[in-house]
């Protein structure tokens, strides 16, 4: 409400989840997903999903319509309420252009050397198994990772190299007005805080 812009590229979207590329975004190819809004998990689902046995090994009740067993995301969603709880954490969900979400796949965030952004005015690079996000959202991404690692410590969601990079991004891209407003709204709905955002927002008198 009041900020219907995609996370990475700033394109507007409608209540019907249709993306309007009014910010200079140029799709890689013609596809329906280039015009469709999707909700992106900043911390990838498999980062914590693979820690659940239903994801790794399946479950006796995870059978398709033909009686064949399945595992992975669908089985974890079906059988484990803890997984669904983490999966639906609003702090980890952002609105994204479907094409970007598709191309990101399960890639990690990082710095992509020698690549040119190929999405018009949207300075996001996706290559070599990594995603280099636009400068203006790097701090947001870092603080979401800090929160998820803090909120769900059993799943070890940040490795040492990522932590080093995210600390740089957190410092170079401090909290902004919308990030603070978003965190405040989520706290009201979800009844828990993101201390890595809230503390900085209060210090900057943005809360």
């Amino acid at each position: 409400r009041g900020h219907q812009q995609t996370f990475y590229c700033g394109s507007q979207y409608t209540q019907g989840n249709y993306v309007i590329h009014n910010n200079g975004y140029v799709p890689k190819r013609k596809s329906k997903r280039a015009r469709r809004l999707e909700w992106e998990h900043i911390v990838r689902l498999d980062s914590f999903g693979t820690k659940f046995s239903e994801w790794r090994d399946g479950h006796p009740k995870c059978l398709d319509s033909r009686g064949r067993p399945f595992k992975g995301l669908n089985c974890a969603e079906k059988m484990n309420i803890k997984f669904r709880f983490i999966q639906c954490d609003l702090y980890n969900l952002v609105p994204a252009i479907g094409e970007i979400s598709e191309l990101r796949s399960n890639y990690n965030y990082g710095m992509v050397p020698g690549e040119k952004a190929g999405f018009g005015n949207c300075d996001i690079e996706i290559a070599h198994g990594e995603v280099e996000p636009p400068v203006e959202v790097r701090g947001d991404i870092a603080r979401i990772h800090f929160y998820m690692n803090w909120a769900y410590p059993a799943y070890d969601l940040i490795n040492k190299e990522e932590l080093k990079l995210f600390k740089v991004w957190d410092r170079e891209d401090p909290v902004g007005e919308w990030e603070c407003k978003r965190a405040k709204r989520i706290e009201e709905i979800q009844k828990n805080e993101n201390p890595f955002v809230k503390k900085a927002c209060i210090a900057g008198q943005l809360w």
Side-chain angles (χ1 to χ4, degrees):
R1 188 173 71 248
H3 191 88
Q4 289 181 233
Q5 297 179 1
T6 60
F7 179 73
Y8 299 107
C9 301
S11 297
Q12 290 185 342
Y13 62 89
T14 69
Q15 292 294 340
N17 295 332
Y18 181 80
V19 177
I20 304 167
H21 298 309
N22 60 337
N23 203 34
Y25 178 86
V26 178
K28 281 275 190 182
R29 56 182 182 270
K30 291 183 179 180
S31 72
K32 290 183 179 179
R33 291 186 79 169
R35 292 285 184 179
R36 188 173 73 199
L37 182 78
E38 298 182 8
W39 289 92
E40 167 99 336
H41 290 85
I42 294 297
V43 175
R44 304 185 329 265
L45 287 176
D46 64 300
S47 296
F48 53 87
T50 53
K51 309 297 196 307
F52 289 85
S53 63
E54 294 87 355
W55 183 297
R56 297 190 312 270
D57 309 316
H59 186 278
K61 292 185 178 180
C62 287
L63 301 172
D64 66 16
S65 59
R66 296 183 180 181
R68 295 173 300 190
F70 61 88
K71 55 185 178 180
L73 169 61
N74 291 337
C75 187
E77 279 183 333
K78 179 178 180 179
M79 301 307 306
N80 197 301
I81 192 169
K82 178 66 173 179
F83 174 83
R84 295 198 300 273
F85 180 80
I86 303 173
Q87 179 189 30
C88 295
D89 193 308
L90 295 176
Y91 287 112
N92 192 40
L93 287 165
V94 298
I97 297 167
E99 180 182 50
I100 294 293
S101 183
E102 177 184 21
L103 292 173
R104 184 212 169 177
S105 184
N106 63 346
Y107 293 173
N108 291 320
Y109 292 105
M111 303 302 292
V112 179
E115 289 292 322
K116 294 182 179 179
F119 302 92
N121 290 341
C122 183
D123 189 19
I124 185 170
E125 301 170 26
I126 305 174
H128 314 306
E130 288 193 313
V131 179
E132 183 178 329
V135 173
E136 58 268 21
V137 298
R138 290 178 186 174
D140 305 57
I141 289 168
R143 289 180 286 275
I144 290 170
H145 276 83
F146 294 157
Y147 161 78
M148 291 291 286
N149 197 53
W150 168 81
Y152 309 105
Y155 303 101
D156 196 22
L157 298 175
I158 305 178
N159 63 42
K160 290 182 179 179
E161 286 301 311
E162 288 174 329
L163 181 60
K164 184 177 179 181
L165 177 65
F166 292 153
K167 284 182 176 180
V168 173
W169 286 2
D170 176 43
R171 183 174 64 252
E172 293 182 347
D173 175 33
V175 295
E177 184 177 353
W178 168 245
E179 185 181 1
C180 294
K181 184 178 291 186
R182 173 182 179 271
K184 193 170 187 178
R185 289 180 181 179
I186 293 174
E187 183 175 331
E188 290 171 355
I189 296 169
Q190 198 164 277
K191 308 304 181 185
N192 73 311
E193 67 177 14
N194 179 342
F196 304 95
V197 174
K198 186 174 184 177
K199 183 178 179 181
C201 293
I202 292 173
Q205 298 183 331
L206 294 171
W207 192 265

